């Protein structure tokens, strides 16, 4: 961590050259200190051009998050949200889990410009990049226990699809239990960490990563087909607007979920499922796999698949779904 790196990156976000001398003067430090801060940015994978006589520059302009724009996009319910914009954090989920333990309020949201250790399910890595990814977590406190939250990640998927539709992205679908796909390529992922007792009260930290405009070299680091908002939207969508729109729909869906559970959302979820009535392979934690056809989803988010052995039920925790062409 270098406390000057992000203040400098905020200056460089315009994509223009800024001389080391001008930056040093602005921050009241030496040019060597500016150079060290730039080197820290590079260690985070951020490319910074350094040209003698002209200074430092990012390869292109980037739109950093603007808290007021996020709140505007949330609309009338903005007062509910305790929004924190972080420059650099290991993982917004880890950060908010710790904050939740320390008493962070209901509907706290942490969004990060950079995650240095973004997590997927089961210890997998979530790849993101400055100005190119939206990475945030939302803390939602429930009166009920964690046992009643089994359909939660599916409900969150609905909120993401509704938000994308509001932004005119109609091609997004869900893959059980927690991925958002466009043309079978992953656009977004959901990771839910829970704390509290099985019989209540409990707290969920809902982490969402959405690819916004990933550079080619970042896409190449992802070991499955991935896509970003830039390639699925006809218009430019600002990250702050995207975040505000998603948060608005999340609050809506979560309120419904806490009152009625997943059951009232089930038909909508099925209508978004990329593999409804399709042949799939279910990958089990012990390395075995089972083939079958997706029939339905139960009110607790369990997937029902017709297999050679009859109807089988799969719960999200340790199981992955793969389509069969
Ligand atoms: P499943 O959810 O079906 O178990 P998954 O392979 O999507 O399978 P997750 O844990 O949901 O696994 O997501 C983590 C995976 O997502 C990583 O292992 C990687 O393959 C992929 N991934 C990582 N970063 C990104 C990204 N920015 N965009 C798309 N996919 C990514
Ligand atoms: C997945 O597809 O497995 C879930 C990916 C979730 C990524 C988001 S990015 C914000 C939040 N912080 C994390 O470390 N992970 C989630």
């Amino acid at each position: 961590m270098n406390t000057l790196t992000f203040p400098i990156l905020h200056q460089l976000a315009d994509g223009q050259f800024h001389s080391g001398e001008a930056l040093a003067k602005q921050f009241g430090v030496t040019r060597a200190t500016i150079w060290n801060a730039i080197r820290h940015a590079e260690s985070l994978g951020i490319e910074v051009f350094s040209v003698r006589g002209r200074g430092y520059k990012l390869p292109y302009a980037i739109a950093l998050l603007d808290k007021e724009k996020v709140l505007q996009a949330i609309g009338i319910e903005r007062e509910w949200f305790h929004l924190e914009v972080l420059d650099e954090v290991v993982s917004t989920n880890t950060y908010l889990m710790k904050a939740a333990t320390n008493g962070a309020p209901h509907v706290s949201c942490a969004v990060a410009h950079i995650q240095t250790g973004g997590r997927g399910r089961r210890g997998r890595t979530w790849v993101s990049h400055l100005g190119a990814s939206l990475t945030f977590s939302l803390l939602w406190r429930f009166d009920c226990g964690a046992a009643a939250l089994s359909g939660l990640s599916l409900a969150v998927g609905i909120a993401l699809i509704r938000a994308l539709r509001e932004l005119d992205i109609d091609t997004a679908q869900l893959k059980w239990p927690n991925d958002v796909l466009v043309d079978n390529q992953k656009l977004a992922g959901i990771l839910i960490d829970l704390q509290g007792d099985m019989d209540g009260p409990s707290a969920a930290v809902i982490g969402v990563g959405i690819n916004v405009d990933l550079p080619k070299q970042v896409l190449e680091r992802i070991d499955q087909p991935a896509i970003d908002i830039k390639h699925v939207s006809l218009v430019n969508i600002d990250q702050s607007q995207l975040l505000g729109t998603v948060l608005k729909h999340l609050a809506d869906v979560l309120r419904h979920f806490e009152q009625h559970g997943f059951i009232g959302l089930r038909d909508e979820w099925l209508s978004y499922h990329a593999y409804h009535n399709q042949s799939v392979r279910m990958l089990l934690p012990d390395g075995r796999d089972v083939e079958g056809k997706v029939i339905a989803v139960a009110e607790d988010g369990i997937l029902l698949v017709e297999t050679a052995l009859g109807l089988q039920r799969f719960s999200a925790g340790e199981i992955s779904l793969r389509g069969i062409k």
Side-chain angles (χ1 to χ4, degrees), residues 6 9-11 13 62-66 113 130-131 238-240:
F6 269 89
L9 287 172
H10 281 269
Q11 299 300 312
I62 51 171
L64 294 174
L65 289 153
D66 177 333
H113 283 128
L130 179 74
D238 177 74
Q239 278 204 42
S240 304

Side-chain angles (χ1 to χ4, degrees), residues 118-129 132-133 135 175-181 185-191 209-212 214 218-219 221-228 283 316-322:
R119 297 191 275 120
R121 296 203 305 152
R122 284 177 271 156
R124 291 188 284 236
T125 301
W126 185 255
V127 175
S128 61
H129 195 69
S133 317
T135 51
K175 188 192 87 167
W176 182 91
N178 67 331
D179 291 351
V180 178
L181 307 179
Q185 302 165 93
K186 191 158 163 178
L187 176 74
I190 299 160
L191 172 71
I210 305 178
N211 299 326
V212 176
L214 291 183
V218 177
L219 270 174
R221 281 172 37 212
I222 302 172
D223 56 6
Q224 66 171 290
I227 196 162
D228 58 19
L283 311 180
E318 297 289 309
I319 294 173
S320 295
L321 177 156
R322 296 290 177 264

Side-chain angles (χ1 to χ4, degrees), residues 65 67 70-71 74 81-100 104-115 133-140 191 204-209 239 243 246-247 250:
L65 289 153
K67 189 169 171 178
V70 178
L71 294 171
I74 294 174
F81 289 82
H82 307 271
L83 176 64
E84 191 176 6
V85 180
L86 306 165
D87 281 327
E88 180 188 338
V89 73
V90 175
S91 149
T92 54
N93 262 45
T94 308
Y95 176 86
L96 210 48
M97 280 295 273
K98 193 165 171 212
H106 181 50
V107 207
S108 293
C109 174
V111 57
H113 283 128
I114 287 210
Q115 286 191 135
S133 317
L134 180 62
T135 51
F136 74 92
S137 303
L138 177 70
L139 168 65
W140 198 272
L191 172 71
V205 169
I206 299 162
V208 176
Q239 278 204 42
L243 174 59
V246 170
L247 288 176
L250 264 175

